[in-house]
Amino acid sequence: MNKELMNKVKQIDIRLRRKVNSIFSGAYHSAFKGEGMVFSDVREYVFGDDVRSISWNLTAKMSKPYIKTFEEDKQAQIILAVDISSSMDFGAGSLSKKSVTDSLASLIAFCSLKNKDTLGLLLFSSDIELYIPPKKGNTHSFRVIREICGFKKKSSETNINKALSFLYKVLKRKSHIFILSDFLGAISFEKSLKQLEKKHEIVSLIISDPFEHDIPDLGLVDVEDMETGQLKTIDFSSYFLKNKLKQSLKEKRELRNKQFVNSKSDKIIIDCEKDIYQPLINFFRKRA
C-alpha cells in the first residue's frame, strides 16, 4: 500500500471511530441482526424435548432418538456494492461523490466490524471490477476499506444492472446489501433490483451533488464527460443550454426515482454539500 493511501485510510479510521462508538453502534446493532436460529449440534433426546427437533436420520442410524440443537445467529452479513465509475469522481463543491462514498462505505465497514458481522465488497463500473467474499475480522475490514479508497478502475462507465445480477448469483446467504452510487446510468436496473430483493435486504445510498439540481452561471467552461472522456465547451450563462442540461438531469433523476418506487426498495439520498452521515443515522434509528 502506497504512503498516500495509507495516510488516507488512517485519517478515515481516526475520523470515523469515535462516530461509530458514540452514535452508530447501538442503532446499527438493533437494525441489522442475524437470521434467527442456526443449527449448532446434536444430542440424545430427553423427556420433554420438542419432538419437532428430532434428527430422524441419526435416530435411525443410532437406534435411539437424537435431536438437533440450535443457537441464535447474532451475525449479519453485510455487502458493500460501490460504484467506482468516473461519474463518481464529480464534485462541484468541497466534496466529490467518490470522497463521500469512501467515507460512508468505510463507516458501514467499521460498524460491521464492531458488531462482528461478516463483510463483503463489490466494486463495479460497467463491469465487475473487484469482488471480496464476506469475512469478518479487523484485517479483512481494513482490506475492504483500502480497496474502496485506492482501487484503480479499469472502466469509466456504469452498469448497475450487471452488479445486481452478479450479487444475485454469488450470494448464497441472506445479506444486507448497501449500494452506493449516483444511479444516473442509462441502463435500467429495476428488474435486477426486484430479483435481488427476493433473497436479500437492500439499502441504496444515492449520492447527489447540488450542481445536478441548480446549475450556476459560470460562463464558458471546458468540461469532460467523465464516463466517455469526451471534451466539450459549455456556456453556462446560456439560458437555452442550462435548461437543456437541467432537463436531461431531471429526466435521469425521474427515471431513477421511478425504478425505486416500482421496486419498493429502501433508499437514502445523500447530499454532498450537507451532513453526509445524518441521513444514514436517521435510517438506522428508524429501522431499529
Side-chain angles (χ1 to χ4, degrees):
M1 181 169 60
N2 62 51
K3 189 174 180 180
E4 182 181 354
L5 177 57
M6 184 170 64
N7 288 335
K8 183 176 182 179
V9 172
K10 186 177 180 180
Q11 288 301 314
I12 286 176
D13 183 19
I14 293 170
R15 190 172 73 249
L16 296 183
R17 284 280 183 173
R18 185 177 298 176
K19 186 174 288 290
V20 171
N21 291 331
S22 63
I23 299 175
F24 273 83
S25 57
Y28 174 93
H29 176 73
S30 299
F32 299 100
K33 298 178 181 178
E35 298 304 316
M37 307 300 289
V38 294
F39 174 76
S40 175
D41 203 351
V42 292
R43 62 168 173 81
E44 283 191 48
Y45 174 87
V46 296
F47 181 77
D49 284 336
D50 189 345
V51 295
R52 292 174 296 181
S53 297
I54 291 177
S55 173
W56 295 108
N57 289 338
L58 189 59
T59 296
K61 184 177 180 180
M62 303 300 292
S63 300
K64 54 183 175 181
Y66 277 78
I67 68 163
K68 301 174 185 177
T69 60
F70 298 84
E71 61 184 21
E72 184 181 0
D73 179 14
K74 297 180 180 179
Q75 296 175 344
Q77 180 160 288
I78 306 297
I79 304 295
L80 294 170
V82 181
D83 182 354
I84 60 170
S85 65
S86 292
S87 70
M88 300 302 288
D89 294 331
F90 177 77
S94 57
L95 294 174
S96 69
K97 293 180 185 179
K98 174 168 171 48
S99 62
V100 170
T101 298
D102 289 351
S103 294
L104 290 172
S106 298
L107 182 58
I108 296 168
F110 281 130
C111 286
S112 72
L113 175 62
K114 186 176 180 65
N115 207 45
K116 298 180 180 179
D117 295 329
T118 57
L119 175 68
L121 174 67
L122 172 68
L123 299 179
F124 68 92
S125 55
S126 60
D127 209 343
I128 305 305
E129 300 258 3
L130 176 70
Y131 176 65
I132 301 177
K135 286 177 61 178
K136 64 178 180 177
N138 198 69
T139 301
H140 175 76
S141 296
F142 271 93
R143 183 202 169 188
V144 166
I145 293 170
R146 287 197 306 272
E147 296 291 2
I148 291 168
C149 296
F151 188 85
K152 303 300 182 184
K153 58 180 172 284
K154 300 177 182 67
S155 173
S156 58
E157 298 182 353
T158 314
N159 189 334
I160 295 174
N161 185 60
K162 184 174 286 189
L164 298 177
S165 298
F166 175 83
L167 289 175
Y168 181 81
K169 293 175 183 176
V170 77
L171 294 177
K172 304 305 179 186
R173 178 188 169 189
K174 183 176 180 180
S175 305
H176 302 279
I177 303 170
F178 290 87
I179 308 170
L180 296 92
S181 174
D182 55 15
F183 293 90
L184 291 177
I187 299 175
S188 172
F189 57 84
E190 181 184 328
K191 184 178 178 181
S192 295
L193 191 61
K194 286 181 177 179
Q195 183 185 46
L196 192 60
E197 281 210 309
K198 292 178 181 178
K199 296 172 61 177
H200 309 283
E201 294 190 23
I202 302 173
V203 181
S204 298
L205 278 68
I206 301 172
I207 314 301
S208 176
D209 191 285
F211 185 86
E212 296 165 347
H213 300 267
D214 185 19
I215 303 171
D217 292 326
L218 300 174
L220 290 171
V221 178
D222 292 328
V223 297
E224 178 183 354
D225 187 314
M226 290 184 168
E227 295 203 353
T228 65
Q230 185 178 3
L231 291 171
K232 289 182 179 180
T233 300
I234 296 180
D235 183 2
F236 284 102
S237 63
S238 166
Y239 177 82
F240 173 76
L241 286 177
K242 279 180 63 176
N243 269 12
K244 187 176 180 181
L245 183 56
K246 278 185 176 181
Q247 185 61 33
S248 175
L249 289 168
K250 181 182 178 182
E251 288 173 359
K252 287 184 178 182
R253 288 196 305 272
E254 288 175 348
L255 175 61
R256 175 192 68 192
N257 295 340
K258 181 181 178 182
Q259 293 185 83
F260 277 114
V261 169
N262 291 343
S263 65
K264 299 179 181 178
S265 178
D266 285 325
K267 69 179 188 295
I268 306 171
I269 297 177
I270 308 294
D271 188 325
C272 291
E273 290 302 299
K274 295 182 180 179
D275 187 329
I276 65 172
Y277 302 114
Q278 194 60 47
L280 194 56
I281 294 172
N282 294 341
F283 173 80
F284 283 169
R285 287 175 176 167
K286 181 179 178 182
R287 185 186 178 101

